[in-house]
Amino acid sequence: DAKTTQPPSMDCAEGRAANLPCNHSTISGNEYVYWYRQIHSQGPQYIIHGLKNNETNEMASLIITEDRKSSTLILPHATLRDTAVYYCIALSIQGAQKLVFGQGTRLTINP
Amino acid sequence: GAVVSQHPSRVICKSGTSVKIECRSLDFQATTMFWYRQFPKQSLMLMATSNEGSKATYEQGVEKDKFLINHASLTLSTLTVTSAHPEDSSFYICSARDPTAGNTIYFGEGSWLTVV
């Protein structure tokens, strides 16, 4: 599975949109982009995933560039409870399909 | 999203004893589950892939005789830490692939193991 690169940390003000970037320049055509987050001392929570089209659900929006080499997770109105480590993972829909976690982005929402 | 539950959420055991952690998929059948461990301030490390009805596949460096994994049914996988030592103290997390949700993988709440 392709390697992803994320900034180690970000800050965002409460109520504003949090935009979390992820680079996956070596992503292949059959790899999805998955986003998870982990709030302190809990198991990771699935947020959203996409292949090439932009996706939106009740939690977030995922914007994938046309060349699929990068993506952005958008939390439209961040709250204090969105403070967590966010993981971007490229995952093939074929084969072993194991989620391998990098270091993620530690997002802090400030009041 | 789908629900994956772990039990116990916290456990303390004495050095040299064995402890079992259960992982259940509550609203779907999972042919594949995964076990991770996480040390403080570190990311999750994949330990093994648990396959229903067959042997688990362990990641490099993970001792299969120490971390016994059993996936006896489509909704239950267990991780047994045998002859536990203080260095096995960690946060253990399971996940399960939901075939009814595009094979999205969902995680349990995690289990804190403290070996004293």
Side-chain angles (χ1 to χ4, degrees), chain B residues 70-101:
Chain B
N70 184 276
H71 193 157
S73 78
L74 288 172
T75 59
L76 173 64
S77 175
T78 60
L79 168 69
T80 301
V81 182
T82 63
S83 187
H85 289 105
E87 55 265 32
D88 297 324
S89 299
S90 187
F91 190 47
Y92 291 87
I93 311 165
C94 75
S95 64
R97 182 189 298 155
D98 184 356
T100 67

Side-chain angles (χ1 to χ4, degrees), chain B residues 3-25:
Chain B
V3 179
V4 177
S5 180
Q6 281 183 243
H7 177 81
S9 57
R10 289 182 180 273
V11 58
I12 300 173
C13 73
K14 291 186 177 180
S15 214
T17 63
S18 296
V19 60
K20 181 187 288 187
I21 301 170
E22 293 185 348
C23 178
R24 295 181 185 274
S25 55

Side-chain angles (χ1 to χ4, degrees), chain A residues 53-65:
Chain A
N53 297 322
N54 297 337
E55 301 289 343
T56 296
N57 63 19
E58 65 278 3
M59 289 183 67
S61 294
L62 174 61
I63 308 297
I64 303 174
T65 58

Side-chain angles (χ1 to χ4, degrees), chain A residues 8 30 34 41 57 60 66 71 104:
Chain A
N30 66 353
Y34 279 81
S41 298
N57 63 19
E66 194 168 340
S71 60

Side-chain angles (χ1 to χ4, degrees), chain A residues 21-42:
Chain A
C22 179
N23 285 320
H24 30 79
S25 58
T26 61
I27 197 168
S28 63
N30 66 353
E31 288 181 314
Y32 282 77
V33 178
Y34 279 81
W35 283 84
Y36 287 80
R37 72 180 182 184
Q38 187 178 27
I39 296 169
H40 184 60
S41 298
Q42 297 180 24

Side-chain angles (χ1 to χ4, degrees), chain B:
Chain B
V3 179
V4 177
S5 180
Q6 281 183 243
H7 177 81
S9 57
R10 289 182 180 273
V11 58
I12 300 173
C13 73
K14 291 186 177 180
S15 214
T17 63
S18 296
V19 60
K20 181 187 288 187
I21 301 170
E22 293 185 348
C23 178
R24 295 181 185 274
S25 55
L26 297 186
D27 51 0
F28 64 97
Q29 294 184 328
T31 55
T32 306
M33 293 183 170
F34 305 89
W35 286 95
Y36 294 79
R37 67 188 298 184
Q38 185 176 31
F39 292 108
K41 298 187 178 182
Q42 294 186 23
S43 189
L44 286 81
M45 184 194 82
L46 179 65
M47 299 175 67
T49 301
S50 172
N51 303 298
E52 188 268 337
S54 65
K55 292 182 179 180
T57 305
Y58 290 81
E59 296 298 305
Q60 193 171 13
V62 178
E63 300 175 61
K64 62 180 181 180
D65 294 331
K66 180 166 184 63
F67 299 101
L68 300 179
I69 291 171
N70 184 276
H71 193 157
S73 78
L74 288 172
T75 59
L76 173 64
S77 175
T78 60
L79 168 69
T80 301
V81 182
T82 63
S83 187
H85 289 105
E87 55 265 32
D88 297 324
S89 299
S90 187
F91 190 47
Y92 291 87
I93 311 165
C94 75
S95 64
R97 182 189 298 155
D98 184 356
T100 67
N103 284 324
T104 298
I105 296 170
Y106 296 97
F107 286 80
E109 315 95 320
S111 299
W112 285 101
L113 169 64
T114 302
V115 184
V116 297

